[in-house]
Amino acid sequence: MTNETHYTTVDSPVGGLLLTADPDGTLTSLCVPGQKNGRTVQDGWRHDPTLFHEAEEQLAAYFAGELKEFRLELRSEGSEFREKVWAALDTVPYGSTTTYGEIASRIGAPRAAVRAVGGAIGANPLLILRPCHRVIGADGSLTGYAGGLERKTTLLTLEGVL
């Protein structure tokens, strides 16, 4: 398999979404404009909207309030620690929130690892699809979101949390 990256852009209530995928259609990232450490289209990437039809449909249904769980092939690459954190994010259900400390506990990390958990969550390459927006501060505050707190508020409002 090649390292070729395919991409498309999709309009959404939180701005234009940049989706990338492997040649087989497995999603590798979903980024929003201005995202901290977000991806931008690179030379050599192939614009191929046909690979993203299912993702577009599911995202539209999510933003319409009709889809609560994405069923898409996702692939991300990170350290073993990041992979554990991202797997824990995948278990946070629609319409609920968790804290950085709870994620640390779920992966068996000590309480002192909360900052590292936050770093791994901030490095999540699959915004919205891997619901890092559902992680809030221990005091209930909306802290840190690579896509910006305004988008986090929008997503949590959509899901009925706010």
Side-chain angles (χ1 to χ4, degrees):
M1 185 162 95
T2 69
N3 287 341
E4 193 171 79
T5 299
H6 295 252
Y7 77 96
T8 196
T9 54
V10 177
D11 289 331
S12 84
V14 295
L17 307 177
L18 172 64
L19 285 82
T20 64
D22 290 343
D24 67 2
T26 300
L27 295 173
T28 55
S29 71
L30 186 157
C31 300
V32 297
Q35 176 182 330
K36 181 181 174 189
N37 300 319
R39 300 179 85 178
T40 55
V41 177
Q42 304 293 308
D43 288 340
W45 284 14
R46 292 187 54 185
H47 185 246
D48 187 0
T50 58
L51 269 183
F52 299 91
H53 181 71
E54 185 62 29
E56 281 191 64
E57 281 190 352
Q58 288 190 35
L59 283 162
Y62 169 78
F63 285 116
E66 301 164 358
L67 180 79
K68 296 187 178 359
E69 186 177 335
F70 292 101
R71 287 180 170 71
L72 298 166
E73 288 295 317
L74 308 176
R75 183 181 62 75
S76 52
E77 294 177 3
S79 67
E80 183 179 340
F81 180 80
R82 283 185 175 179
E83 293 286 346
K84 283 182 184 178
V85 170
W86 296 340
L89 285 178
D90 289 340
T91 68
V92 181
Y94 180 98
S96 67
T97 58
T98 190
T99 65
Y100 297 91
E102 288 169 354
I103 293 288
S105 177
R106 282 187 200 186
I107 66 167
R111 184 98 184 120
V114 168
R115 288 185 80 94
V117 166
I121 291 170
N124 171 21
L126 290 154
L127 293 193
I128 304 169
L129 302 174
R130 176 172 287 135
C132 54
H133 59 277
R134 297 179 188 152
V135 182
I136 61 174
D139 63 359
S141 63
L142 300 185
T143 60
Y145 184 60
L149 290 181
E150 187 176 314
R151 285 191 184 100
K152 184 172 192 161
T153 300
T154 299
L155 294 170
L156 291 175
T157 299
L158 170 75
E159 293 186 11
V161 174
L162 299 178

